[in-house]
């Protein structure tokens, strides 16, 4: 993880939009590798356009909900060089859900985008 | 500076702990937030911020502790107060102990491994223990809900209850009138269907227990629950299997003696019943039958004085339990 910390600013998107995509984003990030809470937040900032951000406090309820859904699992780990953290990783079911929701999201954005294009809004 | 730093972070975490109540401590929320907060502060410091700035930014990005606690509470199950938790532990332990007592009391009534009895008793109580035991995190997305489990139980139970029917033929009746040819009439008698509800119930209970195990979110808790179930059954079974192994070992010795006696001297000349003191075993009763060609060995189960394992040298099922 890079030592450079980007200024954390509130998301520029509406809360409804962010809420609808948070699960998918977290699952997609964890598909790459297991991470702890703060690490997920920092990786989110580093990926894509960097526009999708949310406060650390809003991440924990998301993680606990995904864990209860059975899509991620949590384990306390102490890396060779570092402090003990609660690390989250995808379960087998979580991987399936992540793949399915990614397909769904692409279809959805394509559908919405095509309508907006026809309406001359894009 | 360091005192102030600890104070602000400590203040945040204390507020979070109080706001979370039981849920914070049990689920390790506060520990997790502390660890992440420390990493966050360290990152800001590495980026060149001062200690004070680093803490301010990290706490600001963490948000309000009461708001965080409110959001977390909606996602974590209520574990109940300390008093209720203790009561649940006690009740769950009592049910587990009762299961052991029941298994211990029923097991001596049979000889050999009895999977149906063990399954019935253990699986009847296992779901109760699981539901009573506090701190179990149940999945939000119940793949095996109560409804499907009940349906499954009903289907299995019903299937097992239908059983099979069989027919048997009686002796033919010979009817004849004077001068008429003999006409055999062979009535068919329907035998009673072979019903075994115990197997159906055991299977249904197994389905319910499996459903509950799958509904537990944490793998460590699931493994612990399965281990507890197997340990409960294994403890009782191992003890009585050991007892039965001792019986079989003694029986082999006795059979050799008596079979040798029969072979060398022919049938026993008279019916005799007595203790095994003849062969140095006061805990055995030996009965030489009137026919002279068979014998019965009876051994009082040391772990269950009201029951005895009996062996007969004649008959299809040589070993059974007498109470």
């Amino acid at each position: 993880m890079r030592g450079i910390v980007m200024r954390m600013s509130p998301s520029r998107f509406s809360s409804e939009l962010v809420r609808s995509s948070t699960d998918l984003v977290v699952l997609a990030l964890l598909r790459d590798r297991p991470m702890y809470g703060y690490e997920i937040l920092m990786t989110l900032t580093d990926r894509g356009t960097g526009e999708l951000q949310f406060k650390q406090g809003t991440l924990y309820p998301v993680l606990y909900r995904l864990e209860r859904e059975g899509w991620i699992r949590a384990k306390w780990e102490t890396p060779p060089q570092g402090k003990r953290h609660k690390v989250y990783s995808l379960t087998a079911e979580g991987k399936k859900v992540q793949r399915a929701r990614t397909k769904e999201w692409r279809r959805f954005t394509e559908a919405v985008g095509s309508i907006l294009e026809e309406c001359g809004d894009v | 500076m360091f005192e102030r730093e600890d104070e602000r972070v400590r203040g945040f975490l204390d507020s979070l702990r109080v706001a979370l109540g039981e849920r914070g401590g049990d689920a390790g929320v506060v520990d997790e937030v502390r660890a992440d907060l420390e990493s966050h502060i360290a990152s800001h410091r590495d980026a060149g911020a001062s200690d004070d700035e680093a803490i301010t930014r990290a706490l600001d990005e963490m948000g309000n502790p009461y708001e965080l606690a409110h959001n977390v509470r909606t996602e974590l199950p209520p574990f109940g107060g300390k008093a209720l938790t203790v009561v649940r532990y006690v009740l769950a332990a009592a049910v587990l102990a009762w299961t052991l007592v029941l298994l211990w009391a029923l097991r001596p009534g049979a000889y050999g491994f009895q999977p149906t009895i063990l399954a019935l008793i253990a699986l009847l109580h296992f779901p109760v223990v699981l539901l009573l035991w506090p701190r179990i995190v149940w999945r939000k997305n119940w793949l095996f809900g109560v409804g499907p489990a009940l349906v499954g139980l009903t289907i299995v139970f019903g299937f097992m209850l239908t059983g099979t029917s069989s027919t048997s033929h009686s002796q033919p009746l010979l009817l004849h009138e004077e001068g008429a040819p003999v006409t055999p009439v062979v009535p068919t008698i329907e035998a009673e269907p072979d019903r075994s509800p115990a197997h159906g119930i055991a299977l249904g209970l197994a389905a319910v227990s499996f459903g509950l195990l799958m509904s537990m979110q944490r793998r460590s808790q699931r493994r612990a629950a399965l281990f507890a179930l197997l340990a409960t059954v294994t403890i009782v079974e191992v003890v009585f299997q050991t007892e039965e192994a001792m019986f079989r070992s003694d029986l082999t010795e006795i059979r050799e003696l008596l079979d040798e006696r029969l072979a060398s001297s022919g049938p026993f000349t008279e019916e005799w019943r007595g203790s095994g003191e003849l062969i140095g075993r006061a805990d055995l009763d030996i009965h030489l039958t009137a026919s002279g060609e068979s014998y019965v060995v009876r051994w009082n189960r040391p772990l269950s004085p009201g029951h005895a394992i009996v062996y007969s040298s004649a008959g299809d099922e040589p070993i059974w339990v007498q109470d």
Side-chain angles (χ1 to χ4, degrees):
Chain A
M1 192 172 68
R2 297 188 304 185
I4 298 168
V5 174
M6 297 191 61
R7 178 178 291 278
M8 293 297 298
S9 58
S11 171
R12 294 168 196 173
F13 304 111
S14 69
S15 53
E16 288 82 14
L17 261 180
V18 173
R19 217 176 291 130
S20 66
S21 58
T22 306
D23 288 4
L24 176 57
V25 164
V26 171
L27 290 175
L29 290 175
L30 288 176
R31 192 199 58 193
D32 284 350
R33 58 189 169 90
M35 288 187 258
Y36 58 88
Y38 179 59
E39 203 178 352
I40 293 172
L41 223 52
M42 287 294 103
T43 310
L44 185 65
T45 313
D46 290 346
R47 295 285 177 93
T49 60
E51 282 194 274
L52 185 61
Q53 302 170 15
F54 41 84
K55 287 195 166 190
Q56 191 167 357
T58 59
L59 180 62
Y60 296 111
V62 172
L63 291 172
Y64 299 145
R65 179 166 46 75
L66 294 179
E67 192 192 359
R68 284 190 69 201
E69 293 283 0
W71 299 340
I72 64 176
R73 69 171 71 91
K75 199 175 157 189
W76 282 93
E77 285 178 6
T78 309
Q81 287 167 349
K83 292 188 176 176
R84 197 162 168 261
H85 281 286
K86 195 172 179 184
V87 178
Y88 295 91
S89 56
L90 278 194
T91 60
E93 199 187 330
K95 285 176 188 164
K96 280 187 214 166
V97 168
Q98 186 269 319
R99 277 196 296 268
R101 288 208 172 177
T102 303
K103 274 189 198 161
E104 197 183 356
W105 178 261
R106 286 195 177 123
R107 279 195 352 254
F108 174 74
T109 51
E110 203 179 307
V112 171
S114 64
I115 291 170
L116 292 178
E117 205 177 322
E118 283 178 25
C119 293
D121 284 332
V122 177
Chain B
M1 181 62 71
F2 281 100
E3 281 178 12
R4 228 177 113 206
E5 170 188 359
D6 289 340
E7 217 176 274
R8 287 161 60 185
V9 172
R10 200 181 308 124
F12 177 90
L13 295 172
D14 285 346
S15 300
L16 181 63
R17 185 180 293 109
V18 165
L20 281 170
E22 278 293 320
R23 277 170 255 208
D26 296 329
V29 175
V30 176
D31 292 337
E32 184 180 4
V33 169
R34 177 188 290 111
D36 285 354
L37 204 49
E38 284 171 5
S39 295
H40 206 155
I41 293 169
S43 281
H44 281 300
R45 279 205 204 108
D46 290 347
S50 66
D51 288 345
D52 198 49
E53 258 177 21
I55 294 167
T56 305
R57 281 190 201 166
L59 288 177
D60 180 52
E61 283 151 20
M62 191 61 80
N64 183 300
Y66 298 99
E67 195 182 322
L68 171 58
H70 171 76
N71 291 334
V72 166
R73 270 204 311 270
T74 61
E75 296 301 341
L76 284 179
F79 291 123
K82 274 205 172 106
L84 180 62
T85 304
V86 168
V87 167
R88 285 177 68 179
Y89 272 128
V90 168
L91 283 176
V95 173
L96 202 59
W98 166 246
T99 310
L100 264 173
V101 165
L102 211 51
L103 281 171
W104 193 271
L106 290 173
R107 179 58 178 82
Y111 177 81
F113 184 54
Q114 304 288 323
T116 307
I117 297 175
L118 291 173
L120 269 174
I121 303 301
L123 295 175
L124 187 64
H125 296 87
F126 180 59
V128 177
V129 173
L130 274 187
L131 290 170
L132 276 174
W133 195 268
R135 309 284 188 262
I136 292 180
V137 180
W138 297 99
R139 287 175 70 149
K140 209 172 173 182
N141 179 20
W142 284 50
L143 286 180
F144 296 92
V146 171
L150 280 175
V151 169
L153 170 64
T154 308
I155 290 170
V156 168
F157 187 57
F159 179 78
M160 294 307 296
L161 274 183
T162 53
T164 54
S165 60
S166 59
T167 57
S168 65
H169 297 277
S170 68
Q171 284 283 85
L173 301 176
L174 298 176
L175 304 176
H176 67 276
E177 293 175 3
E178 200 170 315
V182 171
T183 312
V185 174
V186 184
T188 300
I189 297 173
E190 288 284 332
E192 284 295 315
D194 176 28
R195 293 197 169 98
S196 48
H199 295 287
I201 294 171
L203 269 176
L205 288 171
V208 171
S209 293
F210 177 74
L212 274 177
L213 275 175
M214 290 299 108
S215 299
M216 291 167 73
Q217 177 54 55
R218 306 240 160 103
R219 275 200 305 195
S220 55
Q221 292 182 338
R222 208 185 304 155
R223 276 196 292 261
L226 193 57
F227 175 77
L229 171 66
L230 293 173
T232 306
V233 170
T234 305
I235 286 169
V236 173
E237 192 57 28
V238 160
V239 167
F240 284 100
Q241 285 286 346
T242 306
E243 187 194 62
E244 285 163 6
M246 283 166 56
F247 170 74
R248 280 194 296 276
S249 165
D250 292 342
L251 182 64
T252 305
E253 193 188 322
I254 293 160
R255 282 179 65 189
E256 279 172 8
L257 275 168
L258 291 175
D259 289 342
E260 195 189 321
R261 164 71 177 76
L262 274 172
S264 60
S265 311
F268 304 113
T269 52
E270 58 183 16
E271 183 177 347
W272 180 84
R273 186 195 295 270
S275 88
E277 278 175 359
L278 286 177
I279 50 173
R281 290 295 309 274
D283 55 340
L284 292 173
D285 286 333
I286 301 175
H287 177 206
L288 308 177
T289 60
S291 68
E293 291 175 352
S294 64
Y295 54 88
V296 174
V297 179
R298 189 174 181 283
W299 185 56
N300 291 315
R301 299 190 88 139
L303 295 173
S304 181
H307 295 88
I309 304 178
V310 183
Y311 167 81
S312 169
S313 65
D316 295 329
E317 289 185 33
I319 299 180
W320 69 94
V321 174
Q322 197 178 57
D323 57 9

